[in-house]
Amino acid sequence: MREILGRRRRLRFRRGARTARLDAAVTFAVEWNWPVLPGAGLRTTPRTATGLKMLSRTVAGLRSQARTGDPGPGCSCPDPGCVVPGAHPYDPGLLAATTDERMVRWWWTARPDAPVLLATGGGAPCAVSLPAAAGARALAALDATGMRLGPVVATPTRWSILVAPYDLERLGELLYAKDSVPSSLRFHSEGGYLLLPPSVAGSGQVHWERAPLTGSARPWLPDVEAVVDALVEASTSMPGGGSRLAY
């Protein structure tokens, strides 16, 4: 009886996780007008006891990978050495990203385990990301200044601050005007993509470190210049010349 009950709980967990990705993708595309597409996903699927065990490890964030040298679940793409397993476009490609509800529902009905990718830039949100440890320190520093932030996406390895759309020309002008910019920063704009919650990829579970306001028609996003200025200030304001953004 315990085995049967345990199996039922696992099945409910699987169905809930799959429905959550479909629901999230529809919210992003239809309610927020964010173009999305399914990511490559992981090769291992929870169709066997081994698969369920692997999924459990992945949802937990795969914290033991770095310690044990375990490569973890592989990407479903053809590249055996994929460095971002599951967390990139493959089939369909990035240009297929859409806000069409019928297409989104078709994708995630066919592939309910697929990660949700946001195609950044154009009229869609962009992002500034940094390593997770540096991200936690940076957010604490920005909070201390009273700066208003929008949603923040977190994986076990990187945190991404969503910002209002910007193009590469504006980003180039912004960075050129700075004496220095922390090398830990990455910029996700036109032609890029970002993994969104509640996806699971090779690096682990994706979640909102700062969730959008519940019931908001479309999340408010700060300007990229304000965020970069604040991050640069945070990186140079530690006593002794250290940087909060070091990792």
Side-chain angles (χ1 to χ4, degrees), residues 57-221:
R57 289 177 56 214
T58 306
V59 171
L62 301 177
R63 294 185 180 91
S64 64
Q65 277 184 227
R67 295 193 301 270
T68 64
D70 177 9
C75 187
S76 65
C77 76
D79 182 4
C82 181
V83 295
V84 284
H88 63 89
Y90 170 53
D91 184 16
L94 183 61
L95 293 179
T98 184
T99 58
D100 181 76
E101 181 174 0
R102 291 177 298 178
M103 192 73 244
V104 170
R105 288 190 180 277
W106 185 85
W107 275 335
W108 271 275
T109 298
R111 296 181 54 210
D113 294 321
V116 183
L117 293 181
L118 165 70
T120 54
C126 294
V128 179
S129 74
L130 58 168
R137 293 192 295 269
L139 256 62
L142 299 189
D143 286 343
T145 68
M147 181 178 179
R148 181 186 180 189
L149 291 176
V152 178
V153 176
T155 73
T157 56
R158 293 194 75 82
W159 287 16
S160 301
I161 302 172
L162 298 191
V163 298
Y166 62 84
D167 57 29
L168 294 178
E169 180 179 2
R170 184 179 179 215
L171 177 63
E173 294 173 351
L174 173 62
L175 298 182
Y176 182 77
K178 303 295 180 188
D179 291 332
S180 64
V181 176
S183 61
S184 58
L185 296 183
R186 292 181 188 168
F187 299 92
H188 310 258
S189 58
E190 192 169 359
Y193 56 88
L194 192 69
L195 203 60
L196 293 178
S199 302
V200 174
S203 61
Q205 177 75 52
V206 185
H207 68 274
W208 295 112
E209 182 61 31
R210 298 287 173 86
L213 294 177
T214 304
S216 56
R218 192 177 186 184
W220 177 85
L221 300 171

Side-chain angles (χ1 to χ4, degrees), residues 17-31:
R18 290 177 168 192
T19 301
R21 289 177 195 133
L22 170 59
D23 292 344
V26 170
T27 296
F28 301 147
V30 179
E31 297 183 20

